[in-house]
Amino acid sequence: MEVPKTFYLTWKDISYTVAKKRIKNSAKEWLVGGEVERVRLLHEVSGVVKSGTIVAIMGPSGAGKTTLLATIAQRVKGESRGKILLNGQLLDKETMARMSGFVPQVDLAVESLTVQEHMEFMARMKMDRRFRALQRKHRIHCLLTDLGLLECGNSRLSSLSGGERKRVSLAVQLLTEPSILFCDEPTTGLDSYSAMSVAKTLRDVAARDRVVICTVHQPASGLLDLFHEVLLLRAGRVAFQGTVSDANEFFASLDLHCPATFNRAEFYVSQLSLTRESGEKSYEKVKYICEDFERSEFGKKLAMAIADSCAVSICPEMLHPIFLEKVSSVSGFKRIRPFTQIEWLAWRSYVDSKRNLMSLFVRSALYIGISVLISTPFVGITENLDQKNIQNMQGLMYLVITETVFTFNYGAFYTFPRELPFLLRDMASGLYDPAPYYVSKVIILTPGTIVLPFIYAAVIFNVAGLNGGFLGFVYFLIPIILGAMSATALGCLMSAVFESISGASLLSVPIDFLTLIFSGVFLHLGSLPPFTSWLKYTSQFYYGGEAVSLLQWSEIRHIDCPADPEGPCVSTGLEVLEKYGFQPGNYPVDLIGLFALYSVGHFVGYLCIRLRSQKEPVY
């Protein structure tokens, strides 16, 4: 049996509701929380589009255009009802994501990449893994040529104009040749020529037996003629769906005539807009238009088209599995392997970091500069140790770990907030998974937590003249590196929990204050009561401070006592450790503790990213 190319995308009785918290006006509401108000944005909207058709969704601001588009595309998370069907068969979210493309109004991407690099990354993530590199490059070259972007191939995304950015977003979605393409205001912000150029490209896409659905805001004169059909919305209700010529007839039947010199699209939208001057009269007019469309021949024609598109008996061959496989391109699709996702995500982060070297250089220079500042006052501290120098030595050990933890902890706050908007969108569209993304970030962050602490420790160890020789330096370096790694992990955790750096800092300060108390400088760790003694095991400052202290004080066999025989005297390094509550032989335990904080921090951070990707709205 020959499988037909024609297909119908149908949506029936689509409703979408969001929960909004009412503004708190009283003290009681501030204490117990305000009431949650449920707002319905779409009211049982139905429609159908045939392949080979480009449709414009129009309406005044707040009409629900983007909400309808995203709901049909199944790219919203919320309380939605209704059915999305392909030739009468229900489409699940995974199938829709694979067979469709979605061009957002504002494209979010790593702007330090060039157009060519961005396209290569998206091609590697979106296209079947059986495609070879040469095939991907050929596909990218053809798209950039067709969309007039070939000359921009080596330009960074940040330097592109609005029209060029729109065309790059379109090119990304056309990589997989989706059967259905959703575009949210693809012409907004463009000049008339650029808008017409984008609309013509979308019409050409639809001509290849595809469905293209766009929301259009303030279309330029003549732009509407490029669309086969128009869908008018007002307050989440359908005011009209049909051809452009039918729209003229429908409004004329209501005695609403568009002046000859007036933009028809603006005329339709103006008739559905509420004005202050008209007030209740304007509301009744809009309500009348929506109700009259349902009763009109155009409304009945739409209802019949919806029924026909879902009727199995009319065209049963369209439900043939080969047809659904051909249209959806889901069956047999080879998803990108996790290791390949990690490789390309790490490559993207590396390129982004490489092109933002100044910020990296400043942070590195400050950290190395701190090592010079810390070590200079303690030059030759291990020579001729006496009772006064005990405090100096332990102060140095405290500063070595504290500065490392603070530097890497707060430096990691920038990891996710900047990328979170497009991260959630990419994950929701199935571009990559949370685990490969998080692992790629850990891979990129790890070299910095090794190289910088190495230089930092080398400066301090040599300038201050610490004990132990080369092997002592290695043992001194290990807890500093693990301290930097664990601090980065906890910084990533805070970054994953909060949307902003200020929010992460707000919680991190009291946590750091609490754990800093148990570093061994402010409290004698051996005298802690049982109900608080366990808190030291959550402190990076404790583990790192004890580890570096054990290394230095264990090497010291004698400390000069004061001339006064009745004065206090701590004569050996072991006695110093006892004074601060550190346990000799705990060095391996401290390293394990730092590694445990590193593992727990990254694991919980990953879970937070995963949870947010599942619960937060996509669009």
Side-chain angles (χ1 to χ4, degrees):
M1 178 177 61
E2 185 178 351
V3 180
K5 295 181 179 180
T6 304
F7 66 93
Y8 294 87
L9 176 67
T10 310
W11 53 96
K12 296 183 64 178
D13 302 325
I14 297 295
S15 296
Y16 184 74
T17 305
V18 294
K20 294 184 177 180
K21 287 188 177 181
R22 190 167 61 87
I23 298 176
K24 302 172 184 177
N25 296 316
S26 65
K28 180 180 178 181
E29 289 180 343
W30 277 103
L31 292 174
V32 301
E35 294 181 1
V36 175
E37 180 183 5
R38 308 189 73 79
V39 180
R40 179 173 288 189
L41 302 181
L42 297 176
H43 301 266
E44 297 183 351
V45 177
S46 298
V48 61
V49 182
K50 180 183 177 182
S51 58
T53 304
I54 178 172
V55 180
I57 301 177
M58 297 194 308
S61 298
K65 302 184 295 295
T66 296
T67 302
L68 176 61
L69 187 77
T71 303
I72 297 173
Q74 301 190 45
R75 280 168 168 82
V76 291
K77 293 183 175 72
E79 186 180 329
S80 61
R81 292 184 301 170
K83 299 177 180 179
I84 312 295
L85 308 108
L86 179 71
N87 288 342
Q89 282 200 347
L90 286 173
L91 278 178
D92 57 35
K93 184 177 179 180
E94 181 182 355
T95 305
M96 175 61 84
R98 185 58 61 195
M99 69 179 293
S100 66
F102 196 101
V103 181
Q105 181 179 349
V106 179
D107 186 39
L108 301 170
V110 178
E111 297 199 341
S112 59
L113 297 182
T114 65
V115 173
Q116 186 71 38
E117 290 168 344
H118 179 61
M119 291 293 294
E120 178 67 24
F121 171 81
M122 299 301 286
R124 201 63 182 84
M125 294 289 106
K126 292 172 71 72
M127 297 177 71
D128 192 305
R129 69 170 181 249
R130 290 172 294 191
F131 277 85
R132 301 300 179 189
L134 189 61
Q135 294 173 297
R136 290 196 304 271
K137 289 182 179 180
H138 177 71
R139 178 67 181 154
I140 292 170
H141 181 80
C142 291
L143 283 172
L144 294 182
T145 302
D146 293 343
L147 294 172
L149 292 169
L150 203 57
E151 294 181 357
C152 306
N154 294 322
S155 301
R156 296 190 188 185
L157 296 178
S158 58
S159 65
L160 299 182
S161 65
E164 290 168 339
R165 287 292 293 264
K166 294 279 187 183
R167 282 179 280 162
V168 170
S169 300
L170 181 59
V172 167
Q173 298 305 322
L174 294 178
L175 279 168
T176 55
E177 299 185 350
S179 299
I180 305 171
L181 183 63
F182 300 96
C183 301
D184 187 20
E185 299 192 17
T187 59
T188 299
L190 305 182
D191 59 81
S192 299
Y193 176 80
S194 298
M196 294 293 286
S197 176
V198 169
K200 288 177 182 178
T201 301
L202 293 174
R203 186 181 174 97
D204 292 340
V205 171
R208 296 194 289 271
D209 295 312
R210 288 170 172 77
V211 165
V212 178
I213 305 177
C214 307
T215 60
V216 181
H217 188 66
Q218 294 181 336
S221 179
L223 185 68
L224 193 60
D225 294 330
L226 295 175
F227 291 86
H228 299 113
E229 293 186 7
V230 60
L231 192 161
L232 299 176
L233 281 180
R234 172 61 206 173
R237 296 185 62 188
V238 176
F240 177 82
Q241 183 183 348
T243 63
V244 177
S245 58
D246 286 347
N248 291 331
E249 294 183 25
F250 170 67
F251 279 92
S253 68
L254 301 178
D255 200 24
L256 299 172
H257 300 278
C258 178
T261 58
F262 203 78
N263 186 335
R264 284 180 296 168
E266 291 184 5
F267 173 76
Y268 300 148
V269 173
S270 66
Q271 298 305 311
L272 298 174
S273 300
L274 300 179
T275 60
R276 287 184 180 180
E277 293 77 12
S278 302
E280 187 68 24
K281 183 180 178 181
S282 179
Y283 175 79
E284 291 296 330
K285 173 187 173 183
V286 170
K287 183 179 178 182
Y288 167 73
I289 292 175
C290 294
E291 291 177 350
D292 194 80
F293 170 70
E294 294 178 3
R295 297 189 297 264
S296 69
E297 59 175 304
F298 305 103
K300 293 176 182 177
K301 181 179 178 182
L302 175 63
M304 185 177 297
I306 293 172
D308 291 347
S309 69
C310 300
V312 178
S313 58
I314 291 179
C315 199
E317 67 271 15
M318 288 188 181
L319 298 177
H320 194 276
I322 299 177
F323 170 75
L324 292 177
E325 176 181 334
K326 182 177 180 179
V327 173
S328 65
S329 302
V330 173
S331 179
F333 179 82
K334 297 295 183 181
R335 186 172 171 79
I336 307 303
R337 296 184 181 92
F339 286 110
T340 305
Q341 292 184 35
I342 292 172
E343 175 189 352
W344 281 88
L345 285 165
W347 170 83
R348 185 178 68 173
S349 295
Y350 167 73
V351 172
D352 184 41
S353 300
K354 186 175 67 173
R355 296 198 176 136
N356 291 279
L357 280 178
M358 183 54 67
S359 60
L360 179 62
F361 174 78
V362 170
R363 290 200 301 268
S364 302
L366 287 174
Y367 182 57
I368 303 304
I370 287 174
S371 68
V372 177
L373 293 176
I374 287 176
S375 56
T376 301
F378 301 96
V379 174
I381 194 173
T382 56
E383 300 174 4
N384 302 318
L385 266 176
D386 56 20
Q387 300 302 304
K388 295 179 181 179
N389 282 338
I390 292 176
Q391 179 180 346
N392 298 342
M393 172 72 86
Q394 193 55 36
L396 176 59
M397 298 300 103
Y398 165 78
L399 288 173
V400 166
I401 295 300
T402 302
E403 291 301 327
T404 297
V405 171
F406 281 143
T407 298
F408 285 90
N409 186 12
Y410 287 90
F413 286 177
Y414 296 85
T415 304
F416 298 117
R418 183 170 63 94
E419 297 183 2
L420 199 59
F422 66 81
L423 163 66
L424 296 178
R425 186 177 294 178
D426 290 347
M427 288 182 182
S429 62
L431 193 65
Y432 46 80
D433 298 320
Y437 173 80
Y438 198 94
V439 170
S440 71
K441 282 298 178 185
V442 174
I443 291 173
I444 293 299
L445 290 171
T446 298
T449 61
I450 296 174
V451 175
L452 292 180
F454 177 85
I455 301 173
Y456 172 85
V459 171
I460 293 175
F461 193 88
N462 288 284
V463 172
L466 298 181
N467 297 315
F470 176 75
L471 190 59
F473 168 72
V474 173
Y475 286 140
F476 178 75
L477 174 64
I478 292 174
I480 297 176
I481 289 177
L482 287 177
M485 294 175 67
S486 63
T488 300
L490 295 180
C492 287
L493 169 58
M494 292 295 174
S495 179
V497 170
F498 294 93
E499 295 183 6
S500 65
I501 297 170
S502 58
S505 301
L506 192 64
L507 180 62
S508 184
V509 168
I511 291 176
D512 289 339
F513 177 76
L514 180 63
T515 54
L516 195 60
I517 293 175
F518 298 93
S519 63
V521 173
F522 305 103
L523 288 173
H524 189 283
L525 299 177
S527 64
L528 297 175
F531 66 90
T532 60
S533 60
W534 62 272
L535 287 172
K536 69 180 182 181
Y537 298 114
T538 65
S539 173
Q540 305 164 84
F541 305 102
Y542 160 68
Y543 290 123
E546 183 178 62
V548 294
S549 298
L550 290 177
L551 291 171
Q552 291 305 307
W553 290 116
S554 298
E555 295 288 328
I556 298 173
R557 301 287 184 260
H558 173 73
I559 302 174
D560 294 335
C561 290
D564 184 1
E566 295 183 0
C569 179
V570 179
S571 59
T572 65
L574 293 178
E575 290 181 15
V576 174
L577 296 175
E578 183 180 351
K579 174 184 176 181
Y580 288 99
F582 296 138
Q583 297 295 320
N586 262 13
Y587 182 80
V589 176
D590 294 328
L591 300 188
I592 293 172
L594 288 171
F595 184 77
L597 290 177
Y598 166 81
S599 302
V600 171
H602 276 315
F603 178 70
V604 178
Y606 158 71
L607 292 180
C608 291
I609 290 293
R610 185 180 183 86
L611 186 64
R612 293 184 72 170
S613 69
Q614 294 173 347
K615 288 190 174 182
E616 288 199 12
V618 180
Y619 201 73

